[in-house]
Each structure stands twice: as structure tokens, then as C-alpha cells.
Amino acid sequence: NSLRQPKPSVWVEVLATVLTTTCPLCFAGLILLFYLILYMFLAGMFSFCIYGLLLTLSPYTPTYRDRVSPPGVMIRPYLHGFTIAFNVSEPSTWTPYVNSMHHFLQAYDDNIQEEKNIECPAGQYFVQDGAESKEKKACQFKRSQLQNCSGIEDPTFGYSTGQPCILLKMNRIIGYRPGYGTPVSVNCAIQKGNESALKSVDFYPGNGTFDLMYYPYYGKLTHVNYTSPLVALHFTDVKKNDFVPIQCRLNGEGIVNNVTNDRFLGRIIFTLSIGM
Amino acid sequence: DDHQLSVEDLELKYQTNVTKVRGMNSTVAGEILLRDGPNELKPPKGTPEYVKFARQLAGGLQCLMWVAAAICLIAFGIQCGQGDLTSADNLYLAIALIAVVVVTGCFGYYQEFKSTNIIASFKNLVPQQATVIRDGDKFQINANQLVVGDLVEIKGGDRVPADIRIITAQGCKVDNSSLTGESEPQTRAPECTHESPLETRNIAFFSTMCLEGTATGIIVNTGDRTIIGRIASLASGVENEKTPIAIEIEHFVDIIAGLAIFFGGTFFIVAMVIGYPFLKAMVFFMAIVVAYVPEGLLATVTVCLSLTAKRLARKNCVVKNLEAVETLGSTSVICSDKTGTLTQNRMTVSHLWFDNQIHTADTTEDQSGQSFDQSSETWRALCKIVSLCNRAFFKSGQDNVPVPKRIVIGDASETALLKFSEITLGNVMEYRERYKKACEIPFNSTNKFQLSIHELEDPRDPRYLLVMKGAPERILERCATIMIKGQELPLDEQWKEAFQTAYMDLGGLGERVLGFCHLYLDPGQFPRGFAFDTEDMNFPTSGLCFAGLISMIDPPRATVPDAVMKCRTAGIRVIMVTGDHPITAKAIAASVGIISEGSETVEDIAARMRIPVEQVNKREARACVVNGGQLKDMETEELVEILKMHPEMVFARTSPQQKLIIVESCQKLGAIVAVTGDGVNDSPALKKADIGVAMGIAGSDAAKNAADMILLDDNFASIVTGVEQGRLIFDNLKKSIAYTLTKNIPELTPYLIYITVSVPLPLGCITILFIELCTDIFPSVSLAYEKAESDIMHLKPRNPRRDRLVNEALAVYSYFQIGAIQSFAGFTDYFTAMAQEGWFPLLCVGLRAQWENDHLQDLQDSYGQEWTFGQRLYQEYTCYTVFFISIEMCQISDVLIRKTRRLSVFQQGFFRNKILVIAIVFQLCLGCFLCYCPGMPNIFNFMPIRFQWWLVPLPYGILIFVYDEIRKLGVRRHPGSWWDKELYY
């Protein structure tokens, strides 16, 4: 303490004495005021920084897309996990799946698609030039394209017969062109165990490919009516009364489907358990 | 009471035979040996090694970390039990925490172990031999085989093998300085001279040195029952005081642990109320504890202290107990032993009186001082007497050794005189050869003089020269003339008066005075070849010519007065506590400045004003000399009162217990007491002191064992260096801790925001551990190398109750100001990294539940892109990394501002502390390594981040620097203002 030279300027001394001795509340107030100013300044600086950050961001295209690509895969029906277990003879066990499918496919109803989206030439990317902020058109993906899995002829998606349909969806990435010109296809196999448990799978539409015309995606701000293309997996002959682990992979150039840390990157693993 | 018994009673008591010199029966001796155990001091009971290690693992912070680790393990166990095997994070964290505790524990244990080893190496392992008479025969046996009742012989140069009641003695003198602090050799004789066994002459004590003569005696005590043994056990009975730094750190750990548990508990409850599951809430609690506890702090403190200890070791201070480094810095009282600490522990000629004038001899250790005028005839005559009338001689083969260091056979005064004449005259041995000795009477206590008769150097001069020295008054009685400037003048009343004055003056200086005289014998009466008979004294022993007085003292070390002065300017009081006589003690105290010039004792004032001592106003006396006798009758309160009243204190003739009481009284006054000493008698006080400093060369093992610090060169001045280093390390630890504490807030706020606002977690527990234990360790240690901001040796010692290591201002400033800025920096960078990858700030709020749902593999970001859980996890790791980097960048700024607490960094200089610059560079390199080393993402959750994210926290770093400069400017400009009070730590 003797570090300090004992010659404070007079007014500071007077002020300090007045504040500390005669009015302890004033002193506390002074400290509070000090912190108020400090934190207001800090909050202001923080807001300014965030404001500056937001100014540099484009609302249409993310600055970086390295973390989100290559795409992940997701399935429907999705209730709470990746085990689809039901008993054919007990409708209550599979109705939730069926409802989930119907709900998901509402957006793909043929009339809705025809009304909102346009028909695009298949087999090529649907590149839309022009201003970034311009609204982008989306290509039709009709429910009927899913054929046996469309839920039109069989509103139970095969669940009532023990041949369930599962819809496969590739995650959306802005500007991503999957397959670099060749459509990405899907195949499914037993993840591990007896190969004979999964005898046949039908793929719709086509042979289980994502057509190029649905890409690239332009973001939710401009590509409002975009509906992700789907591939329906129709498990027509699966071993019953058993847990069958199935892995479905995307195949195509630029697709990564063998990372151990992320089992949903370019592939998906789920378990079918169909009771008769 | 054995010293008061007669020899016959002793024989009976101990079943031995003295009168016929047969000693004990060896079979009886064997039985007693079995009964009493070997004659050696039991080593102080050491703490078992595993207890020492366990202690290192069970400190306050460590316990908190054990709890955190346990919570992690429980959480992991419950997760396993629920069959959730997706994440082993909790297990890793538990392992990391346990590793941290164990590694820091090992480090501390190693430090302790190393210093213990240093001490062990001091011990002399050569077994001591003793000459014992048993069954009428003399044996040489190991001293530890001796038993009570054994008849032993000792001679000059031996260590006394046990407490011995002297039966016969011939000129036996012992050096009791290690036991009582008396620097003068003590005569041992068969007569009982005092009722106290410590004062009586017929007991020689275990482990003291026999300097000359021979003696036989009966062993009356062995091993731990000896006086030395009792003192040693007294020392071991004294509890070790907690070091101030230990108290500081405990105080600090209490605060931290309290706050950590408070915060953790609050958020645990908040989390439970919000509706998190119990397990999740537990994990939050654990995470907050991990974030809040400065894991690296103990390591930092230990490293800082050991660095200083190393620096001190280079200056010949070995620190046994690391924490003692700082204790020396907060010392406010030094109780110093005199002999061997303040003084050189060797008699040296200090003054001469001849030609009616007192001359001062050079008493410095290296003979660098001024010499006196040696041109007088009288000096030549005196010098001749000094050289010839002396039985001491140098051990042969020491021609290359400087004179003061040569080993001499002879008693202390003769040694002093021999060395003195060797230095002033040249080769004394050869000189003595030239003056052949015809006969000699050695000194004895009845004559109180020593004389010898020599042939003259010149063969043509047939005269004999008689030289004599002895107690001055006895010498004067025998003189008829006095030599003044080479002329022999009759010794009249006037000269006698002059002699008395000089004698009183020298005696008043606490010096031992000897008188010297000579006589050239008449060649007619004593021709060459005359048969001198020392029994009859057939030669004149009166009517001699007085040559002069020489006084000797154990002189203060050259560096001591300066060191004492420095202690004074540093506000440290130096108190002398010695076993020696009050007059000598006072004289030495005055010459080293413990009693400063112009200070008077009560007795001095009384003498000056010619009034009785009782009438003196005691408050006027700055100095005070208290001797052991007075101390014995004093109440503790009285002693405290005296210590308060007189700033300059000397305690003389004190016993080991009294030294202990003095130290306790000083501590009662609130002082932090350092005790320096070398003897066994000092060891209880050394242990009781807040810091005991033992002498490495002169010090006894007992003293070294009890001490916390050892001065290898026995130099009191090293203590001043120690004080300086101790103060510096206190200041620097403060800076270091301030630096370490700051980052706890930016480590904590992510969790608070995570729990309350439900953003994806910005900073992981493992990352926090990396900040605490990896990157930030080096800068915080480098602050230990920071130079002092001002002349710390001109400040008062810190007040241990007021000037805390971690005070409110430090914590508040670090936490709520700098820490807050760092938090903002971290969040800015976090939101930047999130937004640039597609997650806008507003979307992040409330996202936590979905973000952490590992079934949700297509979570949409602000642009409508869909993320898998794995992708989100890597994004989260990216956030951890940018938050980590933000803290690092701000911490670089932080370490720069922590260089000074008051001065501007520009005044202190950016690059003066090279270690700090290196540490910053190293910290940056470590940061880069963690970010960019392949494999890091999956092991330690670090992601390679974009370059611009390093730059985002920069404005905040600059803000920290500028803000702190403003703070320091305010503190310098307006001392005492509210700004100073709130912001100066």
C-alpha cells in the first residue's frame, strides 16, 4: 500500500470521502453505475459485432457448406427411432407408421405438386440462373411415382401384408449436385448376419435413383415449394418374427457412405421386425 | 542431578568402578544396552511415504475434482445401464479429471521427495568411535554401543559421545556453542560449580566438541535421554506452523470451492426445475464444477515456488519446504542466533592497545579490511610476544590454504593470536624456530598467565627473552615498566589509569582481553644453557615490561551489518536471541546494527543521566537487552509488552525453551517470524517459527532437520535475498492467480447460457481441461519471472490479515470485468462460427433439445439445409474450438496486462520478460497444434478452424488491454479514490 504516493488530487479525495463515509449507498450506487456502464458498453460492442456479422451473411447461400456435405440420409416413417417393429395381425402396431407416411406424403399429393411445381426435363440438373434473390421454381415429385409405395392403391403401404414400404430421403444441401452428372442410386443389404433374411427389395421410382432434375437446391428462402425427391424401398420378402438389421446406402460420385463416426452419412441403418 | 553426586555414589548408582579405573563389567554393559537401546538420537518420526502421497491427492481442490470425477463415472454408469453406448464422453472426462489430480499429486510429491533427499545427504554417515574402559581394559567401540555407567576418555578433537560426568580432567575445554550458543570454549573439570546441569562444569554434553585437553568421565545419559536428545524431542513436539502461503491458498480454495458448489448447486436446481432429467442435471453440476475450478492453479503455484526455490538455491539458499519461499517474503520479524549466524564463529583479534592508543585490527573474513599503523617499536615487541608466547600451531600441509581457513591445533584465543601474527608477521612457525624455546609454563587457571623463555635470533646476543601473556590485571601486577613508542617508561599511576581505561573500553565491547609483557633476562645471571626450572621458577616473573593489550572477539560477518540495514528498510525487525553473555551479545548487536547507533537501553540512559534504573522512563529506551534469568521470571504478557515497547531487542543467555517462548510471543503480536540458527539449542525455535533458517556449514543436523530453509554459505545476507525473492513471488503469484482466475468466467458462461438459453453447447469440458492444464499453464508460470514493479525492499512486510493473496478486488476485477469481456469475445466468435456455417444466432436460441437429439438426422438450419447428428457434433466441436481460441487470444492480452498491477505495461517493457514472450509463442503453437493436428476431432474434440475465426476475438483482446491501461492510469493518478479501491488488486 505504501506503493501509492499519498497525494491524490483534492476533489477526488473529497468526493471519495463524501461518497464512502457520509453515504455508503451512494458508494454502492457509484459501483453499480460503473458496472452498468461497463456492461452496457460490452453489450453494445457485442451487438455491434453480431450486427456486423449478420451484414456479411447472405440470406440465400451459407458462407460455408463444408460441415453439411456430403449429404446424410433419413427415412420415413419416423416415429422415435430406427427400429420399425409391428405385428401384421395387430393393426394398432402399424397404424402409427402408416399415419406418419400419409402425413409425410401429403406434400407430394399429385394435385398439389401439379399446382405448385413445374415439370422438368429428367436426367439433367435444373439450374436456375438469375438474381440470387429471385424465387426459384421446384420440380414436381408426384406421390404416384412411388407406385406400390405411394399409398394410393394400398393405403397401408404394405404394412398390413408384412411388406412394408420405407421412404428414403437425401438431406438437402444448398447448391449440391449429387453424383456429378450421374444420378445417385440406392441399394439395401443386411447390415450384419444372415444374408438370406432379406430376399428382395423393390425400389421406386426408377431403379431407386434420385433424378438429377431435383438438384441443385436453392435454399428455403427462394426455393419455397421445393420437395425433396424420395426413393421408396419396398421390402417384399423379409424374414419375419426377427430383428433384421438393414443398411441402405447411397451410391454415386462424391457420396461418402462409410464413415464410422457418422452412421447416417450417405447411408442409414434401421431394423425391421415384422411379426406375423 | 548426577553432577551433584560424589564419585562413590555414582559408582554405586551405575554399578561401575572408577577409582580402580576398571570401568564396567562388559556383560552388565551388554544388559544395559539391551535395556536402554543404542546411544544415538532417534531420527524424528517421518510420515510414511504413502500418507505423504495421499495428502497430495486430498487437498481442497483435489477433493472437488474427485467429486466431479465421481459424478462423471456415475453418469456414465447410468448411461451404460440404460444401454446408451453412443457417447463415452463422461468416462473420458472422469479419466481426465482423475489423471489431473494424480499427475499434480505426483508432481507435488516429487518436489517434496527431492527436498527430503537434499536433507538426507547432509547427514554424516561415518560412525563415531569412542574410547571406553571396561573390565579394566581400554576399547575403541562405536559410540552407539555406549551405556550409562561406562567410563570413557575424551581428548581434544573428539566429539563427546554421551552426557558425561567428568571424573578427571587436564585442561579440558569443550565447545558448547551448538548447545548453548556460547562462543567461548568452556572449561570442564571434576568440581560441581552450579546446581543447574547446563551451567555446571563437571558435565560434558553429548555431541559437543572437546577442543583441547583430556578428560575421563562416567556416562550419565545416553541417546534420547541426553540434554541434546531432550532438546531434539522438544523440537519434534513442536507443531509445524502452517505457512502463510498455505493459509492463503487454503483461504482461496475455500472461496473457489464454495463458489463452485454454489453455482453448481444453483444450476442443478434450476435445471431440475426447468425439467431436465436428474442425470442431465448432475452432469451440468459436474460441468460447472470443472469449469469453475482452476485445475491448473496448484501446478502453477508449485512451479512458481519451485522456480524461485531454484533461483534461491543458486544463491546458496536451499529450500526444504517449497511454501517457505514465500514465507520469507512476508516475514516481519527475524529472530537471529548470534554465534555462527551473525558472527563468524571463530575468535579473531579485533583490537590492540599499545602506545596508549587503541588500534583496530582487521576482522573481516577475507582480510580485506584496513590494517593499523605497524611502524611503532612497541608493535614489534608486542608482535614478538604474541608469536612466541603461543602453543598453538597449524596443522601441516596447509601452505596453500588462506590463513583464516587453516586448521589450528590449540584453543580459540591462541588460534586467534596465531592467525593474527601469521597474517601480520608472516611465517610464524619459522619465526619460532629462530627463537628457540628454552622453557615454557602453559596457562592454568591459578596463575592466569602463560610464559615462555626464548633464545634470541642473533647468536651473538646471549640474552634470553621472557615473554608472558595472561589476564590483563595479573600481567599488570607483574610489570614495572611500560613500553611507549619503543621506550621503556616507568609504570606510574598515570599509565595505570590509561591501562584501566583501555581495559574497560575493550571489555565493554564484549571482547576477551589479554595482556602481554616481556623481559630481556640479564645475560650475566642467565647465560646460554641456563637450566630454567618451571617448577621453581628460577627466573624473574615480576618487574616486567608491559607491551600492550590485545582483545579478541567472535567478529560479525562482513555482510551482516548491510543485511541488517536492508532488513530494516524492508520493515523487518531483527531480534538477536543468543545463549551468549549479555555484554558480548549487546556489543555484537551494536556492531551489526541490531541496536542502531544512538539507541540506548534503560541501563544506558540510567548511566548517562546518573539516576537509578527504576526512574528511567522505559519508553525512551529504544533498545533492550534481556537475559535468560530475567526472562525466566517474566509472564508471557510482560514479554509481549517488552517486545512492543522496545523496537531493538537482544535476548542473551536464553535456553532453548526460552527461545521458543520468544518466538511464540512475536507470533502473538501478529508477526510472521523467521528464526535463524545453527545449534541444537535453536531447533525447537526453528521449528516453531513460521520459517526456520538453518546454517549449512556450521549447523547441526538437528537444526537442519527442524529448518525450512538452509543457508549453504552460512551467510545472513542470503536471507535478504530470500526476503526479496519471497516478496517478488507473492506479487507474481498474485498476477499469476489473477491470470488463471480470469478464464474461469468464459469457461463458466457457456454452461450458463447453454442451460438457460438452450443454445448448442459452446465449450466442452475436455476443452476446458485443455485450457486449464495445457495452454494456459505456461503463461501463468512465466509471470513468476516478472520483475518487480517497484523497489519491494523498501516496503513494509505484508500484513497477513489484510493483504491477502486473493482479495476481493482481484476476484471481482478478474471475474466480472476481464472475464466478462472474454466471455463476450467467446460468444461473438461462437455465433460467427455458427452463423457462417448456416445457424443464425436467433435460430440457435432454444435449439438445444433438437440439436442434441441423436435420432434427428435431418435437422434444418437457417437456410433449409439438413444436418445429420454427426455433422452437428462436428459443428459443435468447431464451436468448442473457436471458443477455445477466443479464450486463448484474450488470455494473451490478459497475460500482458497482468505483467503489472500499477505501472503501465509500457513502463514495465513488453519484452523484458523473455520467458513470457516465449510462453505466449508456445501457447499459440499449442493452440495451432490442437486445432490442426490430424485426428484431434475424434480424440479431443478439436476441429481445424478457419483463419478468420482466430481474428474475431481480437477487438476484445485490444479492449482488455486498453481497458486495463485506463484502469492502471486511474489507479496511478488517483490513489485512494474509489477507482483505486475497487480496481487495484
Side-chain angles (χ1 to χ4, degrees), chain A residues 73-85 96-97 100 159 166-167 243 246 263-264 268-273, chain B residues 853-858:
Chain A
V73 175
M74 190 57 180
I75 53 163
R76 291 292 184 275
Y78 172 71
L79 289 180
H80 27 248
F82 297 97
T83 303
I84 293 162
Y97 293 110
S100 163
Y159 283 78
I166 285 171
L167 302 176
F243 284 92
I246 295 164
R263 293 181 301 155
F264 298 92
I268 189 159
I269 294 162
F270 55 90
T271 309
L272 279 181
S273 166
Chain B
N853 181 350
D854 57 0
H855 293 318
L856 197 55
Q857 300 295 340
D858 54 355

Side-chain angles (χ1 to χ4, degrees), chain B residues 611-655:
Chain B
I611 50 171
V613 173
E614 293 77 36
Q615 292 180 14
V616 177
N617 178 2
K618 285 190 179 150
R619 306 206 166 271
E620 281 175 24
R622 276 182 61 78
C624 182
V625 180
V626 179
N627 72 42
Q630 294 168 285
L631 206 55
K632 201 157 46 176
D633 304 329
M634 238 179 241
E635 295 292 318
T636 325
E637 290 74 33
E638 228 176 311
L639 178 61
V640 171
E641 201 49 43
I642 288 182
L643 280 167
K644 260 196 235 162
M645 196 170 2
H646 308 285
E648 295 168 359
M649 295 287 305
V650 171
F651 292 93
R653 301 300 286 166
T654 47
S655 68

Side-chain angles (χ1 to χ4, degrees), chain B residues 773-785:
Chain B
L773 298 168
C774 187
T775 52
D776 270 14
I777 287 277
F778 302 97
S780 59
V781 167
S782 73
L783 282 170
Y785 289 96

Side-chain angles (χ1 to χ4, degrees), chain B residues 125-179:
Chain B
L125 295 172
V126 182
Q128 195 194 339
Q129 296 281 312
T131 312
V132 63
I133 299 167
R134 283 183 185 168
D135 304 325
D137 286 327
K138 270 190 201 179
F139 294 102
Q140 282 279 338
I141 62 171
N142 278 347
N144 61 8
Q145 300 297 314
L146 293 176
V147 296
V148 169
D150 260 332
L151 194 58
V152 290
E153 283 186 358
I154 51 170
K155 57 180 189 304
D158 285 353
R159 245 161 73 118
V160 178
D163 281 2
I164 293 171
R165 158 74 195 268
I166 305 289
I167 305 293
T168 60
Q170 284 89 39
C172 177
K173 282 191 176 174
V174 291
D175 175 9
N176 273 358
S177 63
S178 81
L179 188 64

Side-chain angles (χ1 to χ4, degrees), chain B residues 1 5 23 108 191 207 339 362 381 384 410 439 452 462 465 591 610 699 812 908 912 918 933 937 955 980-981:
Chain B
D1 307 301
L5 296 178
E191 306 85 37
S207 92
T339 314
D362 178 11
K384 199 178 274 175
C439 82
S452 54
L465 173 65
S591 68
R610 292 173 202 283
V812 166
Q908 184 84 346
R912 286 256 299 279
I918 294 169
C933 176
D980 184 25
K981 276 185 198 133

Side-chain angles (χ1 to χ4, degrees), chain B residues 451-663:
Chain B
L451 74 72
S452 54
I453 300 173
H454 298 263
E455 289 173 14
L456 288 188
E457 180 183 22
D458 185 354
R460 284 163 301 174
D461 193 340
R463 291 182 298 172
Y464 277 100
L465 173 65
L466 184 149
V467 288
M468 184 194 270
K469 75 167 184 226
E473 62 276 11
R474 294 298 179 86
I475 296 294
L476 195 74
E477 283 168 14
R478 296 171 186 276
C479 290
T481 57
I482 180 166
M483 186 179 273
I484 299 294
K485 311 238 175 201
Q487 306 288 312
E488 285 193 28
L489 304 178
L491 187 65
D492 54 20
E493 281 308 312
Q494 188 197 337
W495 286 121
K496 278 189 182 162
E497 178 88 34
F499 161 88
Q500 277 304 337
T501 319
Y503 184 27
M504 292 303 287
D505 281 354
L506 295 178
L509 293 175
E511 303 183 359
R512 188 195 302 176
V513 191
L514 288 177
F516 295 82
C517 61
H518 71 168
L519 183 69
Y520 286 95
L521 299 180
D522 178 12
Q525 213 177 333
F526 302 97
R528 275 281 156 103
F530 181 84
F532 293 103
D533 187 346
T534 54
E535 293 296 312
D536 295 348
M537 297 216 228
N538 55 354
F539 43 84
T541 56
S542 59
L544 312 178
C545 171
F546 188 84
L549 293 170
I550 292 183
S551 68
M552 281 157 291
I553 197 163
D554 179 11
R557 290 164 183 277
T559 48
V560 170
D562 197 36
V564 171
M565 198 59 219
K566 276 189 185 153
C567 286
R568 271 170 190 264
T569 49
I572 301 169
R573 197 172 159 192
V574 184
I575 294 177
M576 183 192 276
V577 182
T578 177
D580 216 337
H581 293 277
I583 297 174
T584 323
K586 192 181 164 196
I588 294 291
S591 68
V592 297
I594 290 177
I595 295 179
S596 52
E597 235 177 289
S599 294
E600 289 177 309
T601 62
V602 173
E603 290 78 15
D604 288 336
I605 295 174
R608 177 165 57 82
M609 298 173 61
R610 292 173 202 283
I611 50 171
V613 173
E614 293 77 36
Q615 292 180 14
V616 177
N617 178 2
K618 285 190 179 150
R619 306 206 166 271
E620 281 175 24
R622 276 182 61 78
C624 182
V625 180
V626 179
N627 72 42
Q630 294 168 285
L631 206 55
K632 201 157 46 176
D633 304 329
M634 238 179 241
E635 295 292 318
T636 325
E637 290 74 33
E638 228 176 311
L639 178 61
V640 171
E641 201 49 43
I642 288 182
L643 280 167
K644 260 196 235 162
M645 196 170 2
H646 308 285
E648 295 168 359
M649 295 287 305
V650 171
F651 292 93
R653 301 300 286 166
T654 47
S655 68
Q657 280 92 341
Q658 287 172 335
K659 289 193 181 191
L660 202 60
I661 292 167
I662 294 166
V663 172

